Amino acid sequence: MTDNSFKYTDLTDKQLRELLLSDDETFAPYADAAREIVMSSLGGMCYMRGLIETHNGCVKDCLYCGIRRSNSAVARYSLSDDEIVETVVNTVGAGYGSIVLQGGEQRGEAFVGRVERLLRRIASECGNKAPAVTLSFGEQSLESYRRWRSAGAHRYLLRIESSRESLYRSIHPDNELHSHARRVEALYDLRKADFQVGTGVMIGLPGQTTDDLVADLRFMRDMDIDMCGMGPYLEHKETPLYARAGELLPANERLRLSLRMITLLRLLMPTINIAATTALQAIDPDARTTALRMGANVMMPNITPMSVKAEYKLYENKPLGENSLTASLTEGVTRAGLTPVFGGKGTSRHYLDRLALGADTPSLSAMNFEV
Ligand code: 5AD
């Protein structure tokens, strides 16, 4: 650290590994450096995005997830277009410039066409206040991604869950629908479709090693992602992976590792957007604020209507109390020393830089961005 020529972006796998395993005192200067990047280079801003969980039906059967297809204990819901548009309009009215629509993976024209129409409706009903829209609806064809992009979506979140294929296979059913290679391809497709691409992983999975986490960091860097959302794996009793709960690190260790991953990713990729995710908060009520102090710069308050929010339960202890329009959320952001930014699109500088550099000849339409 005293060597002036040292660049955090050049951290080697060996160093990343040592830092993940280091004691708190050794790690502290790195967390401070990540914080300093957010405070100085990124202007000390925390982008706020309203998150709507549109439906909890899913074609996938991921072994860790509470809304997996085989979980018959879940009361399935799907918000209507009217309910979604109303929530978006209210959120935009409250000053938000950015929203996230997330839901279980659905396939077929009925779903793809519906999302397309919904995006156009959001744009027309919000007029000159139309928000930036992030989608998180799983793996779709390149053609579908392109349609959603043309209909007004800007960003897409698709977690790789784990970059190591064998670990991925151990937490998913062994079939075509849950292929690691297909998921990686979907990330490339999103990039081809000119999305700002976000991915992420779960931390503290049974069977996951420190080297896996290093590989996850390297994967995100090699994919040149624009955004990341990652957090601790949290057990859910009604899922097959619960049988391996005995192998898990204690929850506070999973949290500690998750925060370190955020710091190290910030050091490797100084200009991307990194979310302080809800799963962190499920372990410690204040963990999202801690994440904002250690390198994260995005918060996604859950604005799903209260009537269905509890049914979107990916893991246990999901926090349900928060509301986008209450002061408590911004209190956590300001306590971290950051300024909550509601208006504006909150585009990552990484994405703007890669457009400016013409990294992969994105279409001109993608340039019509306000920051
Ligand atoms: N614990 C933590 N995160 C989970 N997710 C799904 N199930 C769990 C769980 N049990 C995450 C996955 C998915 C995202 C929407 O939620 O990473 O991509």
Side-chain angles (χ1 to χ4, degrees):
M1 299 261 301
T2 47
D3 174 1
N4 284 337
S5 65
F6 174 77
K7 291 215 300 281
Y8 289 112
T9 47
D10 293 339
L11 282 167
T12 63
D13 286 3
K14 184 164 169 287
Q15 288 170 320
L16 293 170
R17 186 174 194 288
E18 283 166 6
L19 285 168
L20 282 171
L21 295 170
S22 67
D23 57 44
D24 286 348
E25 205 184 333
T26 308
F27 194 78
Y30 292 86
D32 290 347
R35 175 181 167 76
E36 186 51 29
I37 292 170
V38 175
M39 294 309 291
S40 306
S41 317
L42 303 182
M45 289 184 283
C46 176
Y47 299 126
M48 309 294 285
R49 320 201 189 286
L51 168 68
I52 306 174
E53 294 151 341
T54 57
H55 59 274
N56 66 357
C58 192
V59 298
K60 292 282 185 82
D61 225 359
C62 308
L63 304 184
Y64 46 86
C65 183
I67 64 166
R68 65 197 299 270
R69 182 182 190 151
S70 299
N71 187 2
S72 54
V74 177
R76 304 288 170 175
Y77 74 86
S78 179
L79 295 175
S80 68
D81 287 5
D82 286 349
E83 286 171 310
I84 296 169
V85 172
E86 188 192 325
T87 308
V88 172
V89 167
N90 287 341
T91 306
V92 166
Y96 276 79
S98 176
I99 59 147
V100 184
L101 302 179
Q102 180 174 88
E105 195 166 306
Q106 303 288 345
R107 298 276 170 91
E109 179 51 33
F111 181 68
V112 175
R114 181 189 164 202
V115 172
E116 195 176 20
R117 285 189 298 279
L118 186 61
L119 288 165
R120 294 197 195 282
R121 228 184 110 184
I122 288 171
S124 78
E125 296 202 17
C126 296
N128 62 4
K129 284 190 176 165
V133 179
T134 305
L135 297 180
S136 184
F137 291 137
E139 292 161 34
Q140 305 289 342
S141 67
L142 173 58
E143 183 51 32
S144 301
Y145 286 151
R146 287 206 160 117
R147 281 170 62 188
W148 290 348
R149 179 76 183 89
S150 305
H154 304 81
R155 302 183 246 268
Y156 205 100
L157 300 171
L158 182 73
R159 290 190 180 179
I160 189 66
E161 314 298 359
S162 168
S163 62
R164 172 157 68 92
E165 184 168 13
S166 55
L167 179 57
Y168 188 92
R169 231 181 296 124
S170 73
I171 59 168
H172 293 95
D174 186 11
N175 60 35
E176 265 304 291
L177 193 58
H178 300 82
S179 148
H180 188 259
R182 174 66 200 110
R183 202 157 182 90
V184 174
E185 187 183 40
L187 284 170
Y188 280 110
D189 286 348
L190 286 165
R191 178 88 177 220
K192 278 188 211 147
D194 280 349
F195 272 103
Q196 297 171 47
V197 181
T199 192
V201 295
M202 284 179 287
I203 295 150
L205 286 163
Q208 190 178 45
T209 64
T210 310
D211 285 337
D212 289 336
L213 294 176
V214 172
D216 289 341
L217 291 168
R218 198 56 68 195
F219 175 88
M220 293 190 267
R221 163 84 170 250
D222 290 347
M223 291 290 292
D224 194 29
I225 57 163
D226 302 299
M227 335 178 272
C228 176
M230 59 184 166
Y233 162 67
L234 299 161
E235 53 276 60
H236 188 304
K237 286 202 180 69
E238 285 147 9
T239 63
L241 209 59
Y242 191 72
R244 295 182 64 186
E247 295 172 42
L248 297 174
L249 291 170
N252 60 352
E253 272 301 304
R254 279 176 264 157
L255 173 60
R256 188 161 157 269
L257 269 179
S258 301
L259 293 168
R260 285 182 175 212
M261 287 287 283
I262 289 173
T263 287
L264 295 173
L265 186 64
R266 170 60 69 209
L267 296 178
L268 289 173
M269 305 190 79
T271 56
I272 65 170
N273 279 343
I274 303 180
T277 54
T278 318
L280 297 163
Q281 194 187 341
I283 296 183
D284 168 359
D286 210 33
R288 290 208 284 187
T289 299
T290 312
L292 294 174
R293 285 206 184 94
M294 294 176 70
N297 70 326
V298 172
M299 277 269 266
M300 303 191 293
N302 192 322
I303 54 164
T304 307
M306 262 319 212
S307 54
V308 295
K309 208 182 216 178
E311 305 303 338
Y312 199 88
K313 205 174 113 190
L314 309 180
Y315 45 78
E316 278 156 29
N317 301 324
K318 175 186 173 180
L320 293 172
E322 74 183 14
N323 180 312
S324 62
L325 311 175
T326 61
S328 65
L329 269 164
T330 49
E331 186 274 328
V333 177
T334 43
R335 200 151 35 79
L338 302 186
T339 309
V341 177
F342 289 89
K345 309 253 181 275
T347 301
S348 73
R349 218 181 71 205
H350 182 86
Y351 180 75
L352 297 171
D353 287 350
R354 94 179 156 77
L355 282 197
L357 292 170
D360 49 359
T361 55
S363 75
L364 283 175
S365 67
M367 299 213 172
N368 296 330
F369 271 111
E370 303 158 37
V371 182

